[in-house]
Amino acid sequence: MAVMQIARAGILGGASVLANGIGWQQAVDFLRDNLELSAGIHLNVVEGRAISAAPEVRILTDRDGLFPGLSTLLKRWMLRPFAVSRAVEIEWRAQIERLMRVGVWLRHADSHQHLHAFPPAYGCAVRLCQEYGIPALRHPSEKGTWPIRRKSALALQSSLAISQRVTRRTGLRHNDNFLGFRRVGAYGVTELIEDLRRIPYGLTEIALHPSMKDGVPYPKLNGDLERKTLLDDSLPGRIKGLGIELITWSTILQ
């Protein structure tokens, strides 16, 4: 509902869909009716249940059939790299195909908790984007992170840097700059304008998590704050005043 409100206000460039999320069908219906938005796949093997019934995917889940979280996944990936890599590719393929089967035209890809920055996952994401004709892939590297998230930010930046070095030219488009890691779920108007003033020249992607209530669906994220920020009547004019043009992946890829 929050994403729909923001899209109708004309300030949202695109939305990424969790194909294994409980609201995926509602998201799909909205995107098919609003083709001006860039639809993306939010690749996920961190949270929720697997879509694929392939036995290989069981290595990614616990006994209850749920993905156990990022840290457990990475430990399993280190211990059994080939089996986990195969399972991730099978599950991500199933997620992409679920959205494509129901008529969603995917223009970009990213991943839950930025998993695709991890080198083996990055190579998998690139291959699938190339295979399925998804022309853009997020690069989640944000500069100037807060001390409280500095270690995780450095790990993310290092992983992405290694991924880019070991991967040949992909032919995929990607953002030059990124916002949304250090202030995840905490963007008020003042904070958003402050960060936008500092971005370097180029294409910047801002990841936001709007919701109708703070702490839902994630306890630590203030989704309603971000929803109200994006619906603030002053925001478009203030962004324009910074010399920033709001665009979508679909516009860039034309």
Side-chain angles (χ1 to χ4, degrees), residues 78-124:
M78 295 293 186
L79 292 172
R80 299 186 63 186
F82 297 107
V84 172
S85 293
R86 175 61 177 156
V88 169
E89 181 169 341
I90 290 171
E91 174 60 19
W92 280 0
R93 186 182 299 276
Q95 293 177 13
I96 292 170
E97 291 181 354
R98 167 176 276 190
L99 298 186
M100 296 184 77
R101 276 198 305 269
V102 294
V104 178
W105 185 28
L106 295 173
R107 306 303 290 153
H108 64 274
D110 46 56
S111 65
H112 199 42
Q113 297 189 24
H114 309 302
L115 176 65
H116 73 283
F118 182 60
Y122 184 84
C124 178

Side-chain angles (χ1 to χ4, degrees), residues 183-214:
R183 295 190 196 266
V184 58
Y187 264 121
V189 174
T190 300
E191 292 79 13
L192 182 56
I193 294 300
E194 178 184 331
D195 283 359
L196 289 175
R197 289 183 188 279
R198 299 175 178 174
I199 58 172
Y201 181 81
L203 176 65
T204 298
E205 184 175 9
I206 307 174
L208 297 160
H209 302 78
S211 65
M212 300 302 294
K213 184 179 180 180
D214 287 342

Side-chain angles (χ1 to χ4, degrees), residues 8 20 36-37 40 63 78 91 97 139 183 185 188 193 200 223 225 228 234 246:
R8 293 187 181 111
N20 73 328
E36 71 279 6
L37 296 176
R63 292 179 181 178
M78 295 293 186
E91 174 60 19
E97 291 181 354
H139 279 184
R183 295 190 196 266
I193 294 300
L225 169 66
K228 292 174 179 176
S234 71
L246 298 178

